[in-house]
Amino acid sequence: TPTIKLSGKNAANSRADALVVALTGPEVELVPGALPADLAQALAAIARRLDLGGRADEVRTIPAPQGVTADLLVFTGTGETTGPEALRRAIGAAVASLAASESVVVAVPGKDVAAVAACAEGALLGAYRYVDYLGSGKASAKTGPAAITIATGLAKDAAAKDALDRAVIVAEAVNGTRDLVNCPPNDLYPERFAELAGTLAAQHGVKVSVTDDEALRSRGYGGLTAVGQGSSRGPRLVRLEYSPTGRRGRKSPALPHIALVGKGITFDSGGLSLKPGDSMKTMKLDMAGAAAVLHTIVATARLGLPVKVTAWLCLAENMPSGTAQRPSDVITVFGGKTVEVLNTDAEGRLVLADGLVGAAAEQLDAIIDIATLTGAQMVALGNRVSAVMANDDDLRAELVAAADTTGEQFWPMPLPSELRASMDSAVADIANIGDRFGGMLVAGLFLAEFIGEKEEGGRLPWAHLDIAGPSFNESGRHGYTPKGGTGVGVRTMLGLIEHRA
């Protein structure tokens, strides 16, 4: 992660490899307040001569003109709006383009704390590079900026400093999620994932417990056991807990309690219902939900939010072998419900069932699961919009609002009761697949079967986030989003927790 700081110095006079300024369209003007008015007008005139339109994701780098001390000037478009997400995306796109620049100054428009936060977050997200497996020469050529300066008239403002601190924590959570998703599956398997989660949790005061494959089998976690039994590398269930403490170290009373449950299939071959070869190429991404849950609870702890959060990472590797589960097997998930496995490639819902039952057994205010669950999500919503399903309208709306505020795209989807009958089984309580049409909704209905009631009675609010497409970007960079793991879901879940705080 690059170093980042606020500076009250005139951005145009800052020494750096590159100065980033934001253009807005369609009139093609510098976003007001970024630079002195006369210089802003001169630079806008240059941009128009370069035929720039201030469009989103439009980035152009030129040698710095007179009046700018940096070596390079980077124009980046916000589109026709200058809201936080437009700025976040524009600054991220600019910083992402500067792989060979070590130092970058970002001219923040106006005197708005939200703009400072958006520019800082966008810069850190755009600076992300995954170079762990590159040779030293190739890695150093792609490292990108090491130092980012956010130039703003609010450099000494306490709220702006707090916003910068939060931006660093959020960006590190998203980028940490990206790292896990990008890690090759020969190096990231359930046991290793659990070890990494434990190390990270210990650094930030988050309690952790790990249940290994033998204990999972003996304790009745049938979903994780069945999915993981085809692999030589057994499944794990990781439970994390963040409990805020009062001034004297006592647990605060009556805090909101949110549970997060993440699908963590570290590689998905489909099992005996084997995927086509091309479909397996990106299946290291199938643990993106668990990665997002891990980094969300750690970010919650780092921010010190007054909300209790428990997190459940359901980790397994879905492989074909002589010990793998078979289509038509009947398994018993944690809590006693039986499932007829008609397709071993519908495995994520099986491991989530174990985690959901375990999480729901505690006294909670809400439970949220997140998973790269269905190809049907991509058919319905594409590769940039995730889905939200819920048994509670208020929780679903709260998640959509959190996504809108933090810059992610989540769309509310229904859970039509008539689709439940398609999962009826003659030999078990439920089958793991149903109607092909509406497959994303069928999967949500399956998960809903494993949500219990509150101790005092009444339905436990639950929401399911399907991030199958948005979790992994197979095309080129856009905005602050790199190719590969995106870290989607972290900001939305953290935003909901902050709202509850």
Side-chain angles (χ1 to χ4, degrees):
T1 301
T3 61
I4 190 167
K5 65 179 182 180
L6 301 180
S7 173
K9 186 177 180 180
N10 184 338
N13 297 334
S14 299
R15 293 193 175 276
D17 291 338
L19 169 64
V20 176
V21 296
L23 285 174
T24 184
E27 291 82 11
V28 191
E29 301 288 348
L30 260 69
V31 179
L35 294 168
D38 56 346
L39 180 58
Q41 291 174 4
L43 295 181
I46 291 172
R48 287 190 288 271
R49 289 199 295 272
L50 292 170
D51 197 29
L52 296 176
R55 293 175 287 271
D57 284 348
E58 181 183 59
V59 177
R60 183 76 61 86
T61 301
I62 63 172
Q66 187 175 2
V68 175
T69 303
D71 296 331
L72 301 172
L73 178 68
V74 185
F75 292 111
T76 184
T78 68
E80 296 185 14
T81 175
T82 57
E85 176 59 11
L87 280 176
R88 194 182 290 119
R89 180 169 176 166
I91 301 306
V95 173
S97 73
L98 296 169
S101 297
E102 291 188 6
S103 57
V104 177
V105 175
V106 176
V108 176
K111 289 190 175 183
D112 181 354
V113 172
V116 172
C119 289
E121 192 175 315
L124 290 169
L125 294 175
Y128 175 81
R129 303 288 191 281
Y130 188 70
V131 298
D132 290 13
Y133 290 81
L134 296 179
S136 57
K138 195 173 181 181
S140 62
K142 293 190 175 184
T143 300
I148 297 171
T149 300
I150 305 297
T152 171
L154 296 173
K156 295 184 179 180
D157 183 84
K161 292 176 182 178
D162 289 343
L164 180 69
D165 290 342
R166 180 190 179 278
V168 170
I169 291 171
V170 171
E172 288 181 351
V174 173
N175 290 340
T177 302
R178 292 170 171 177
D179 279 347
L180 286 170
V181 175
N182 288 329
C183 189
N186 56 318
D187 283 347
L188 188 69
Y189 43 92
E191 183 179 6
R192 178 62 178 152
F193 196 141
E195 291 171 354
L196 293 172
T199 299
L200 184 62
Q203 293 171 354
H204 299 288
V206 176
K207 296 178 181 178
V208 59
S209 61
V210 179
T211 307
D212 66 15
D213 46 353
E214 291 185 8
L216 288 170
R217 186 180 299 277
S218 65
R219 296 176 190 176
Y221 288 94
L224 281 157
T225 297
V227 173
Q229 71 190 36
S231 173
S232 61
R233 306 189 292 190
R236 295 290 186 274
L237 179 63
V238 180
R239 183 187 181 278
L240 303 155
E241 180 180 326
Y242 162 67
S243 294
T245 55
R247 293 181 181 178
R248 298 181 181 179
R250 294 194 297 267
K251 290 185 179 179
S252 302
L255 288 176
H257 182 183
I258 306 295
L260 308 175
V261 181
K263 174 187 173 183
I265 303 298
T266 57
F267 184 76
D268 183 17
S269 69
L272 291 182
S273 304
L274 196 66
K275 293 179 183 289
D278 282 349
S279 298
M280 278 191 241
K281 290 179 180 176
T282 57
M283 279 301 104
K284 65 180 183 179
L285 66 79
D286 219 15
M287 35 57 67
V293 164
L294 168 62
H295 282 280
T296 299
I297 192 173
V298 169
T300 301
R302 293 181 67 186
L303 290 168
L305 298 175
V307 177
K308 181 178 179 180
V309 179
T310 48
W312 301 71
L313 314 182
C314 306
L315 309 176
E317 189 175 55
N318 188 25
M319 298 292 286
S321 73
T323 60
Q325 65 173 337
R326 296 153 292 261
S328 77
D329 277 0
V330 174
I331 66 172
T332 303
V333 302
F334 189 60
K337 189 163 290 188
T338 58
V339 180
E340 183 181 14
V341 179
L342 297 179
N343 188 324
T344 66
D345 196 22
E347 85 299 327
R349 63 200 70 184
L350 302 179
V351 302
L352 284 174
D354 279 346
L356 288 170
V357 173
E362 302 178 2
Q363 184 67 6
L364 300 167
D365 293 291
I367 184 168
I368 300 163
D369 78 74
I370 180 168
T372 49
L373 204 63
T374 65
Q377 178 276 321
M378 292 181 277
V379 174
L381 297 174
N383 289 319
R384 296 194 188 182
V385 180
S386 303
V388 187
M389 287 151 271
N391 65 5
D392 183 273
D393 292 344
D394 291 339
L395 178 59
R396 181 175 55 237
E398 189 179 5
L399 279 161
V400 172
D404 290 344
T405 299
T406 58
E408 295 188 320
Q409 296 185 83
F410 279 83
W411 194 255
M413 299 296 286
L415 289 172
S417 58
E418 67 270 15
L419 290 175
R420 169 60 182 85
S422 69
M423 292 182 287
D424 285 348
S425 167
V427 297
D429 295 326
I430 191 170
N432 77 325
I433 58 172
D435 277 354
R436 174 190 171 200
F437 298 108
M440 172 176 62
L441 314 180
V442 171
L445 288 164
F446 178 91
L447 296 176
E449 295 283 317
F450 301 91
I451 305 300
E453 294 189 345
K454 292 183 177 181
E455 287 185 5
E456 67 273 20
R459 184 172 54 190
L460 173 62
W462 156 80
H464 162 55
L465 310 181
D466 194 334
I467 58 169
S471 67
F472 199 83
N473 176 24
E474 294 188 61
S475 57
R477 279 182 174 268
H478 56 85
Y480 49 75
T481 302
K483 189 172 183 178
T486 65
V488 71
V490 171
R491 289 180 291 157
T492 293
M493 291 188 291
L494 187 61
L496 179 133
I497 293 167
E498 288 178 312
H499 182 252
R500 292 292 176 103

